[in-house]
């Protein structure tokens, strides 16, 4: 039996004019070649897009290429020529001049070492900063001018491996409190400061990652959200200060001893995700009907919206039949408040014995409503003078009436109308003949 196998070749390429000037890709193997020398001092980083295609289509991917530093620049003096006039009585130890040289190479390759060539008995030069100092008393009568030659050399690269450094510091980002898991807060990046081919970096979180709310990709340095954030959670409300570490990796990808740490601060931006809430679903109170207007009811109502600023502003309203008999304050709240309910009109048990109200806390968002019930019951008080049915009870009875005989039923009724506070006496005249 025969069968045909069709080989579909993959074709590799590089995209873009600038990238094509520097890089060539072998179509069949995907091996990348450099077409011309790179120069870190001109461009330290390039984003190069490579492509791979088959008969079905093309896939492109961007590769970030960092150009490492080599010490390929000689230092140069700035602001030449140098000529200084100093008084002959300039004291020994006085700094009289400063030479200035720069080197375009970065890091260790870029630091310059100064010396006088040949050395002078009268002047010295600070190797690192180029400061020229008088070291011996001068005498105009002996010498009127000194000509000195400064030698600037690039400092020898020390054998000690330098620690990497973070770029684009400081790391501080504000993110919405509802950022979903997987959301990238930011990419952090550290670079190898040493000359030559830069080593890879591994990124880790050392501390501050409360409840593992964030994840840091070891290779890419991408810091992402990995849990459900909530600004109103007291553990998260003041933000996160995460200590991150960058470790240079050896060629076999094991961590080297060259590391650097920094902190990353993340603050959560409030979202209006909480409605106002009362601290109970219902409040009940019993008050004397004679409670004065202005009397504050012993109702301990607290209401709170846990959000921040305008996201925690709301209006309080007490509604229901006869709710105007009471007043509530405050009615405009931001954040949290203890509410006071006060008597607004003279109350009367004989007219209304109990009240039942709805208490709302409404935010500007219509679905953000806090709700509670309020029940107020009045205690009856003896605020009415009793009234006898007759002004005089006149009864006659025979003298033989036995002790304990019921003689008379006295009817007493009350009607409302007397102002509160009247003392009541039940004195009445009964004449018995
Ligand atoms: C050296 O020259 C550079 C470039 O002109 C300047 O920015 C720097 O301030 C100079 N340093 C001193 C110490 O004069
Ligand atoms: C300049 O200084 C360096 C370092 O001290 C020394 O190696 C070099 O020979 C000096 N150059 C000249 C021209 O003297
Ligand atoms: C509501 O809060 C107030 C004020 O803090 C407090 O006095 C009251 O006991 C609370 N009520 C409930 C049911 O927790
Ligand atoms: C409201 O209260 C009044 C007494 O002030 C009463 O007559 C009336 O029936 C009540 N209305 C409702 C709807 O409860
Ligand atoms: C508060 O919200 C409730 C429920 O949505 C609504 O019945 C009431 O009219 C609102 N009150 C105000 C003052 O907006
Ligand atoms: C009380 O009753 C007696 C006898 O029935 C009568 O004579 C007398 O006038 C009455 N007194 C009054 C104040 O009504
Ligand atoms: C009761 O009798 C006394 C003395 O006789 C009199 O002063 C008073 O007015 C009488 N009270 C009533 C309510 O009739
Ligand atoms: Ca919130
Ligand atoms: Ca809110």
């Amino acid at each position: 039996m025969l069968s045909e196998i069709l080989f579909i070749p993959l074709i590799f390429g590089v995209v873009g004019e600038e990238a094509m000037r520097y890089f060539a890709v072998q179509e069949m193997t995907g091996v990348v070649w450099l077409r011309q020398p790179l120069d870190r001092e001109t461009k330290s980083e390039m984003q190069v897009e490579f492509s791979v295609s088959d008969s079905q289509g093309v896939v492109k991917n961007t590769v970030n290429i960092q150009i490492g530093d080599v010490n390929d620049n000689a230092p140069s003096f700035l602001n030449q020529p140098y000529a200084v006039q100093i008084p002959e009585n300039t004291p020994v130890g006085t700094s009289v001049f400063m030479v200035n040289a720069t080197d375009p190479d970065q890091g260790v390759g870029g630091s310059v070492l100064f010396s006088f060539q040949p050395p002078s008995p009268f002047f010295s030069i600070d190797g690192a900063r180029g400061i020229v100092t008088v070291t011996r008393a001068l005498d105009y009568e002996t010498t009127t001018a000194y000509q000195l030659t400064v030698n600037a050399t690039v400092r020898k690269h020390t054998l000690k491996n330098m620690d990497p450094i973070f770029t684009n510091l400081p790391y501080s980002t504000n993110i919405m409190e509802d950022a979903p898991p997987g959301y990238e807060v930011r990419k952090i990046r550290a670079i190898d400061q040493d000359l030559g081919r830069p080593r890879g970096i591994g990124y880790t979180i050392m501390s501050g990652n409360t409840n593992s709310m964030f994840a840091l990709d070891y290779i890419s340095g991408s810091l992402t959200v990995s849990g459900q954030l909530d600004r109103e959670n007291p553990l998260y409300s003041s933000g996160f200060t995460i200590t991150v570490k960058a470790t240079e990796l050896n060629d076999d990808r094991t961590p080297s001893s060259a590391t650097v740490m920094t902190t990353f601060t993340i603050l959560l931006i409030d979202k209006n995700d909480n409605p106002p809430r009362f601290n109970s679903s219902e409040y009940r109170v019993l008050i004397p009907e004679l409670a004065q207007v202005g009397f504050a009811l012993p109702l301990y109502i607290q209401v709170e919206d846990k959000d921040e600023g305008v996201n925690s502003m709301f209006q309080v309203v007490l509604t229901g039949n006869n709710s105007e008999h009471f007043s509530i304050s405050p009615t405009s709240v931001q954040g949290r408040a203890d509410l006071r309910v006060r008597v607004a009109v003279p109350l009367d048990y004989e007219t209304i014995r109990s009240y039942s109200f709805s208490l709302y806390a409404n935010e500007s968002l219509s679905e953000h409503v806090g709700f509670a019930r309020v029940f107020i019951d009045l205690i009856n008080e003896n605020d009415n003078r009793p009234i006898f049915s007759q002004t005089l009870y006149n009864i006659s009875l025979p003298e033989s009436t036995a002790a304990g005989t019921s003689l008379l039923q006295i009817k007493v009724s009350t009607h409302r109308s007397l102002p509160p506070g009247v003392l009541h006496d039940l004195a009445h005249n009964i004449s018995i003949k």
Side-chain angles (χ1 to χ4, degrees):
M1 220 173 123
L2 289 173
S3 124
E4 283 188 84
I5 300 172
L6 185 62
F7 285 98
I8 302 168
L10 294 176
I11 313 275
F12 297 92
V14 58
V15 186
E17 200 191 310
E18 188 194 32
M20 283 162 82
R21 257 190 285 129
Y22 285 102
F23 301 99
V25 178
Q26 222 174 37
E27 276 196 354
M28 307 307 276
T29 61
V31 172
V32 180
W33 304 92
L34 197 58
R35 280 187 200 268
Q36 57 162 299
L38 299 164
D39 182 13
R40 192 203 66 85
E41 281 76 50
T42 317
K43 197 160 183 153
S44 62
E45 195 169 328
M46 291 174 91
Q47 264 82 34
V48 181
E49 201 176 8
F50 292 100
S51 66
V52 56
S53 55
D54 62 10
S55 57
Q56 307 292 305
V58 186
V59 180
K60 292 178 183 171
N61 207 341
T62 302
V63 176
N64 189 14
I65 295 176
Q66 282 154 32
I67 296 136
D69 190 28
V70 292
N71 192 358
D72 53 0
N73 287 276
S76 58
F77 285 104
L78 298 167
N79 316 321
Q80 288 206 77
Y82 300 134
V84 211
Q85 282 200 350
I86 54 170
E88 63 170 327
N89 60 358
T90 303
V92 170
T94 308
S95 300
V96 292
F97 190 65
M98 186 168 176
V99 300
N100 193 352
T102 60
D103 184 291
D105 294 313
Q106 72 177 18
V108 184
S111 76
V112 176
L113 187 66
F114 299 101
S115 61
F116 282 132
Q117 213 51 251
S120 158
F122 293 97
F123 299 94
S124 70
I125 186 162
D126 174 288
R129 289 174 296 166
I131 297 170
V132 178
T133 309
V134 178
T135 52
R136 190 186 286 185
L138 308 172
D139 182 2
Y140 183 83
E141 279 66 44
T142 322
T143 317
T144 56
Y146 295 90
Q147 183 157 9
L148 302 162
T149 305
V150 181
N151 170 5
T153 51
V154 163
R155 248 187 240 236
K156 285 275 188 311
H157 176 50
T158 51
L159 285 175
K160 187 189 170 299
N161 187 22
M162 292 190 70
D163 288 335
I165 49 164
F166 280 104
T167 62
N168 304 321
L169 287 169
Y171 294 140
S172 169
T173 309
N174 298 347
I175 62 170
M176 292 303 296
E177 63 168 315
D178 64 344
Y183 175 84
E184 181 174 85
V185 179
R186 186 173 171 175
K187 254 198 180 70
I188 65 169
R189 198 163 93 82
I191 51 169
D192 177 356
Q193 287 197 91
D194 297 301
L195 303 181
R197 191 170 58 83
R199 299 203 286 181
I201 307 273
Y203 302 94
T204 43
I205 293 177
M206 301 306 288
S207 64
N209 192 10
T210 313
N211 289 344
S212 301
M213 278 293 140
F214 297 94
L216 180 59
D217 189 276
Y218 186 69
I219 303 298
S220 70
S222 168
L223 186 73
T224 53
V225 174
S226 72
Q228 195 53 62
L229 294 168
D230 177 13
R231 194 202 67 90
E232 284 73 46
N233 183 328
L235 288 174
Y236 314 148
S237 54
S238 57
F240 298 80
T241 303
I242 295 173
T243 302
V244 291
K245 183 166 95 170
T247 305
E248 276 181 27
L249 303 179
N250 297 317
D251 288 340
D252 61 359
R253 311 301 285 172
T254 55
S256 78
S257 59
T259 63
V260 65
M261 295 216 261
T262 190
T263 54
F264 196 137
T265 52
I266 301 165
L267 291 182
L268 301 183
I269 303 166
D270 185 41
K271 259 211 88 184
N272 193 352
D273 52 1
N274 287 276
R277 291 247 177 268
F278 292 100
N279 70 345
S280 178
S281 59
E282 61 174 59
Y283 300 91
R284 290 179 181 276
V285 72
L286 259 173
I287 55 163
E289 62 169 325
L290 299 176
Q292 308 263 317
V293 169
F295 171 76
L297 278 58
L299 272 174
Y300 301 100
I301 306 175
Q302 193 173 74
V303 62
E304 180 178 21
D305 184 322
K306 292 186 149 65
D307 295 319
E308 194 179 43
V310 291
N311 290 344
S312 67
M313 281 164 61
F314 56 93
Q315 300 294 317
V316 175
V317 272
L318 188 67
T319 64
N321 198 14
N322 299 310
S323 62
E324 70 280 3
H325 290 187
F326 298 90
S327 67
I328 191 157
S329 67
T331 52
S332 289
V333 178
Q334 175 168 341
R336 183 166 64 189
D338 289 309
L339 301 180
R340 275 262 153 271
V341 178
R342 292 175 190 278
V343 174
V345 299
L347 305 176
D348 182 22
Y349 178 87
E350 281 70 37
T351 316
I352 302 172
R353 295 170 178 212
S354 65
Y355 296 87
S356 141
F357 298 136
S358 295
L359 181 58
Y360 290 103
N362 294 22
E363 264 194 89
S364 54
L365 286 174
S366 60
E367 69 272 22
H368 279 195
V369 176
F371 178 76
R373 305 278 305 162
V374 176
F375 300 99
I376 301 168
D377 289 311
L378 300 191
I379 305 166
N380 186 20
E381 285 194 274
N382 198 0
D383 57 349
N384 293 296
R385 184 189 297 276
I387 294 163
F388 290 86
S389 51
Q390 287 170 246
T391 50
L392 172 69
Y393 296 89
N394 189 3
I395 52 170
S396 306
L397 54 148
E399 51 184 330
S400 59
T401 306
T405 307
S406 174
L407 302 177
L408 166 73
Q409 206 173 4
I410 298 171
K411 257 197 178 158
V412 180
S413 68
T414 60
H415 70 83
R416 52 172 303 283
S417 72
L418 292 173
V422 171
L423 288 173
H424 316 295
D425 61 278
L426 283 163
H428 211 71
N429 291 344
I430 300 171
S431 74
I432 297 173
K433 297 199 170 113

